[in-house]
Amino acid sequence: MSQSHNHSPSSAYRAPLYFGAMAALIIGVGFIQSWNSALFILNMGLISAIMALGVNLQWGFAGLFNVGVMGFVALGGLAVVLVSTSPVGEAWQAGGPRVIFALMLGVGTIIGAILLWKKLAKGRVRALFVTAWIVVGFFLFRAVFDPAVAAIEAINPAISGNLGGLGLPVLIAWPIGGLFAAGAAWLVAKTALGLRSDYLAIATLGIAEIIIAVMKNEDWMARGVKNVIGLPRPVPYEIDLQQSEWFIGMMQSIGADPVTASSIFVKLCYAGLFLAVILLLITAMQLALNSPWGRMMRAIRDNEVSSEAMGKDVTGRHLQIFVLGAAICGLAGAMMTTLDGQLTPASYQPLRFTFLVWVMVIVGGSGNNWGAVLGGLFIWFLWVEVEPIGRFVAQVLTSGLADDSGLKEVIMDRMVYIRPLTMGLVLLFVLRFNPRGLLPER
């Protein structure tokens, strides 16, 4: 009887009602502001929903607290540059092979240190040998790596100064972005999952900051803070549409401006791609959730001790689901960088790419995949629209005051804080009145 409310008629209609209301909000933006703005909210909302699905997989299915979402998203963005941009031939000639050799030296040093640690008997001799191995390996690595990087970054630094990518289609970069994030997640999880949950949180936060620091400072890889712009895209360019006869003819037949319509058409193409990805993910995750594997994961989440007593490999299953969740975040990061058309490492901030994603999961409904999608769309809509709405309301309320009024100036200046304030209030109200989220776990 205690769970009967989950299957009541009102709960059955809850998801369609919420998604219908979300669609009405986005359509309302199209009519009141512009269709370009509405489609921007939709596309970024869908990408945010995929990030929320990744976090929901980790937290909702397994209770793993990941506060390094930003790092996994950034790795997805990096994959787009390394896979889809054209290689810089001069840079490869100047130092490409040496950089690859140096990286192999670094990996070999780490693997060698691990093997030595396992092979040698415990004691002072083992510590000395491993320390000496690491020190020698480090200096060898730097001796090869530093001159190679200097040579690469000296090649036309105004527009390149990096190795470039593989020149492959950008859609291939999306799953590779997921693999990049999965690899980083595996390294973190192998060391931190056996520890308490707070240590996992610290580890994920630390690795995220390290990833961003590396991306900002290693110019040879993706130009660092100089950014990579003009990334390839899987949809047509607006200028090409504006010059194509079929598109101009089609727009003239419906009385639309080809310039504005080209931008809307491109955003609709992106929306179609993103919807296809999200439906594929949702289908796979729903099948997994309702399978014996999904039931086992929720049993482990609800009671690790009894699951371990039943012979379940709790740490192994946690590793599996942590890597899968991070891979989804990496996929979302690659999609976002493709949509932006540029990689800007300085734009990756914990507020946007960790805190906001967690708000999406909690507000939408932890443990419910459709709830994560709803939370992603709703919270992103608020994030974009709450400041212009707040400014409009403030202008109406202060319209009777003189333009040079100190009170009016203070109110308008404080509007920049309305976004985080709104997120905090939404989270507070949801946790107070509907702690299981808008679409609770069934």
Side-chain angles (χ1 to χ4, degrees):
M1 290 293 288
S2 62
Q3 292 186 351
S4 62
H5 65 280
N6 283 341
H7 304 283
S8 65
S10 60
S11 69
Y13 294 116
R14 186 183 293 178
L17 280 172
Y18 282 150
F19 279 104
M22 197 66 246
L25 286 173
I26 293 172
I27 291 168
V29 171
F31 280 113
I32 296 167
Q33 294 180 1
S34 73
W35 290 107
N36 270 315
S37 298
L39 288 169
F40 166 76
I41 291 172
L42 175 63
N43 285 332
M44 283 301 296
L46 290 171
I47 291 171
S48 299
I50 293 172
M51 294 180 198
L53 280 171
V55 173
N56 186 55
L57 186 62
Q58 295 168 336
W59 175 252
F61 279 45
L64 298 175
F65 189 42
N66 171 18
V67 289
V69 182
M70 173 184 70
F72 301 124
V73 171
L75 281 173
L78 177 64
V80 176
V81 174
L82 298 183
V83 171
S84 68
T85 56
S86 300
V88 181
E90 286 182 74
W92 274 101
Q93 290 173 4
R98 283 186 290 163
V99 161
I100 291 173
F101 178 61
L103 293 174
M104 289 170 65
L105 271 176
V107 172
T109 300
I110 294 167
I111 292 171
I114 293 168
L115 292 174
L116 280 172
W117 188 264
K118 288 180 177 179
K119 292 284 183 185
L120 297 175
K122 187 177 180 181
R124 187 178 297 176
V125 173
R126 180 173 75 171
L128 287 171
F129 262 103
V130 172
T131 304
W133 175 272
I134 291 171
V135 169
V136 171
F138 174 77
F139 281 106
L140 278 173
F141 166 76
R142 299 304 304 196
V144 178
F145 184 74
D146 290 349
V149 165
I152 291 165
E153 293 178 357
I155 303 296
N156 206 355
I159 59 169
S160 59
N162 68 315
L163 289 172
L166 300 175
L168 298 172
V170 71
L171 286 178
I172 294 174
W174 293 8
I176 291 176
L179 288 175
F180 277 20
W186 185 84
L187 289 172
V188 176
K190 281 297 282 184
T191 54
L193 273 181
L195 307 172
R196 294 203 322 248
S197 59
D198 48 353
Y199 289 110
L200 175 65
I202 293 165
T204 53
L205 181 64
I207 198 72
E209 293 296 339
I210 290 167
I211 288 166
I212 301 301
V214 170
M215 285 176 60
K216 284 181 179 178
N217 291 290
E218 298 298 326
D219 288 12
W220 63 272
M221 187 165 55
R223 302 198 74 226
V225 293
K226 291 184 283 188
N227 305 338
V228 179
I229 60 172
L231 292 172
R233 55 202 289 186
V235 299
Y237 284 89
E238 290 85 349
I239 191 71
D240 293 337
L241 289 171
Q242 291 162 23
Q243 293 172 353
S244 64
E245 293 180 8
W246 71 268
F247 186 78
I248 294 170
M250 186 170 67
M251 291 305 106
Q252 286 174 344
S253 67
I254 60 172
D257 173 31
V259 175
T260 307
S262 65
S263 180
I264 292 171
F265 181 82
V266 166
K267 287 185 173 68
L268 282 171
C269 290
Y270 273 121
L273 278 172
F274 298 161
L275 277 169
V277 171
I278 212 165
L279 288 172
L280 189 66
L281 284 174
I282 280 277
T283 303
M285 290 175 72
Q286 286 296 106
L287 289 171
L289 182 66
N290 296 317
S291 70
W293 179 85
R295 290 191 287 274
M296 176 187 66
M297 288 311 310
R298 282 181 290 180
I300 291 172
R301 177 198 65 189
D302 295 337
N303 196 326
E304 284 187 26
V305 176
S306 64
S307 298
E308 209 157 12
M310 294 286 287
K312 303 299 181 188
D313 180 9
V314 172
T315 305
R317 298 287 74 77
H318 277 174
L319 173 66
Q320 190 180 60
I321 208 160
F322 188 79
V323 168
L324 286 171
I328 293 172
C329 292
L331 170 67
M335 292 165 67
M336 188 186 70
T337 300
T338 304
L339 178 65
D340 290 343
Q342 60 182 357
L343 178 68
T344 52
S347 68
Y348 291 103
Q349 300 294 334
L351 173 65
R352 163 68 184 95
F353 294 105
T354 296
F355 169 73
L356 205 61
V357 178
W358 269 99
V359 173
M360 291 168 183
V361 172
I362 294 166
V363 169
S366 175
N368 188 322
N369 292 322
W370 287 109
V373 174
L374 177 67
L377 289 166
F378 178 57
I379 295 300
W380 178 254
F381 175 86
L382 288 179
W383 185 255
V384 173
E385 288 296 316
V386 76
E387 189 172 340
I389 291 170
R391 287 191 178 279
F392 174 75
V393 171
Q395 284 172 349
V396 171
L397 293 176
T398 59
S399 57
L401 299 173
D403 289 340
D404 59 350
S405 165
L407 177 60
K408 186 173 186 175
E409 188 178 336
V410 166
I411 291 172
M412 297 310 293
D413 286 347
R414 295 301 182 271
M415 280 297 112
V416 295
Y417 303 124
I418 198 164
R419 277 178 167 178
L421 175 66
T422 304
M423 294 304 107
L425 288 173
V426 168
L427 194 57
L428 188 67
F429 277 111
V430 168
L431 290 174
R432 172 63 184 84
F433 297 107
N434 203 356
R436 296 175 65 213
L438 297 174
L439 294 176
E441 180 183 3
R442 292 196 164 199

